[in-house]
Structure formats: structure tokens, C-alpha cells
Amino acid sequence: MNLYILRHAHAVDATDDPERPLSARGRSQVRKLAAFLKRSDALVAREIWHSPLARSGETANLLIKKLGLKAKLIEIDGLQPEDDPQLLAQQLKTRQQPLAIVGHDPQLSALVSLLVTGATEPSR
């Protein structure tokens, strides 16, 4: 399985908006990333999982639009910044289709460490 792990793009400060949607800078980051991925044909996924938080969903949605992907956008529990990466790793064990995940640190860093080294600490 090909697995693409992406941290959400830049979001507005919580004092400006507690929902923390993407900032103008964040939307620009996603457009630039999508342009790079499109040129390189690097992201091929049938599903894009994202957390319930606005900045993650917006990043995933903008990627789908800018890449012209036919991928399903799916909100997944267990992708919050402090969620246990072990639970997500369990969900990934049975996956065979290409998948992209848009989430948050420190959870994504711990997930990558777990998948690569078998341990979440120290984060790689």
C-alpha cells in the first residue's frame, strides 16, 4: 500500500478564530504542494482521511480539488493531535489501496515513527 502522510497547512491563530481554519498562507501552501504533486504524479490515492478539525479537512479538500482527484474525502476519528497513533496504525494494517492522511502533530510524527521503527518514542 502507498501511504501519504501530510500535516495540515498553516491555520489562523486560535485567538482570531477558535475553529482555526486555513489562513491565506495555508491555502497558498496547499496550492503550491498540489502543483508540485501534479507535476510529479506523486499522489495517487483513492481515499483521503482527515481529522474533524477544520484545518485538516480544508487541506484535504483543497488538495482533492487542485489535483483533480476522484478520491473520497473521509473524516476519521483518531486523527486529533493527541490521539494514540497505535489505533490508527491498527486501521492501516488491513489497507491495500493507496491512502492519504491529513492530520496534526504530534500525532502524525508519532505515527510515522511507529510505522518505521515500531515505537512512537522518540519521535522521528
Side-chain angles (χ1 to χ4, degrees), residues 9-78:
H10 186 266
V12 300
D13 191 84
T15 57
D16 295 330
D17 185 338
E19 294 293 315
R20 298 204 59 216
L22 291 183
S23 64
R25 176 179 159 202
R27 289 187 297 278
S28 175
Q29 289 172 335
V30 177
R31 285 191 295 273
K32 288 176 184 176
L33 175 62
F36 168 77
L37 293 171
K38 195 167 197 161
R39 281 191 310 271
S40 62
D41 264 344
L43 184 93
V44 179
R46 298 206 176 159
E47 294 179 355
I48 298 181
W49 294 0
H50 65 89
S51 83
L53 301 179
R55 55 198 178 271
S56 176
E58 286 182 70
T59 299
N61 193 33
L62 194 52
L63 268 177
I64 283 177
K65 286 180 181 174
K66 294 296 179 184
L67 289 172
L69 292 177
K70 302 281 188 232
K72 278 172 104 175
L73 192 60
I74 302 173
E75 185 178 296
I76 299 288
D77 288 330

Side-chain angles (χ1 to χ4, degrees), residues 72-112:
K72 278 172 104 175
L73 192 60
I74 302 173
E75 185 178 296
I76 299 288
D77 288 330
L79 277 174
Q80 300 269 2
E82 301 302 326
D83 285 343
D84 183 357
Q86 299 272 359
L87 301 175
L88 190 56
Q90 287 297 325
Q91 290 180 305
L92 296 174
K93 281 187 178 182
T94 59
R95 295 282 313 180
Q96 293 182 354
Q97 300 297 324
L99 172 68
I101 296 174
V102 180
H104 312 268
D105 268 334
Q107 199 241 13
L108 288 181
S109 292
L111 175 65
V112 170

